[in-house]
Amino acid sequence: MDIAALITWVITALGGFYMLGTWLSRGGAKAGNSRLPVPVLFGHFALAAVGLVVWIIYVITDKDVVAWTAFGLLVPVALLGFTMLARWIPVHRARSAAAAAAAAAGQQSEPAERYFPVPVVVGHGLFAVVTVVLVLLTALGIGGS
């Protein structure tokens, strides 16, 4: 189960890297209209990356305290992820009429996160949930390692 968690964590990270790259390439915080606060976005990224490193250490060492540390890191990662999802949904639902009006005025009205592909957002979230469950089950000693 620990290897399954590692695989789902890596897949989740790939989706996250893709969205971070999209956000940065579309202006991110520089555009001034992002609904994703920079500390939340980069906090989510940093904690998830540290957690993945801790999980790799767990896979190598098989120490329970390391598994629980990785799970402890996933809790704020998940909370920050839900925060960003809640802030992304209204952006995704926004109509393109405002974008057309802003384009006519020569302004960029859409936040960078508007360009996140829905399948990537959904996949990232689903793999994240599966990762949290697998890490918790492994830390509890369910399913063997």
Side-chain angles (χ1 to χ4, degrees), residues 3-144:
I3 299 298
L6 178 61
I7 292 168
T8 60
W9 205 323
V10 169
I11 293 169
T12 304
L14 291 173
F17 281 132
Y18 179 81
M19 288 187 288
L20 179 60
T22 300
W23 188 77
L24 290 171
S25 71
R26 294 291 185 160
K30 286 183 185 179
N33 58 359
S34 178
R35 291 187 41 98
L36 302 180
V38 173
V40 172
L41 189 128
F42 284 104
H44 176 77
F45 167 75
L47 285 171
V50 169
L52 178 57
V53 170
V54 170
W55 190 252
I56 291 168
I57 293 168
Y58 167 74
V59 169
I60 294 167
T61 65
D62 198 29
K63 302 285 185 189
D64 288 345
V65 69
V66 179
W68 283 108
T69 302
F71 179 74
L73 287 165
L74 280 177
V75 172
V77 170
L79 293 173
L80 292 171
F82 282 125
T83 300
M84 288 189 293
L85 177 64
R87 295 178 71 90
W88 173 79
I89 289 172
V91 171
H92 171 67
R93 290 184 175 170
R95 299 286 176 220
S96 61
Q107 301 170 341
Q108 179 188 358
S109 71
E110 294 185 318
E113 59 271 18
R114 173 71 176 95
Y115 298 95
F116 292 168
V118 174
V120 176
V121 173
V122 171
H124 179 73
L126 290 175
F127 274 99
V129 169
V130 170
T131 300
V132 170
V133 170
L134 289 174
V135 168
L136 177 60
L137 292 175
T138 302
L140 290 170
I142 299 171

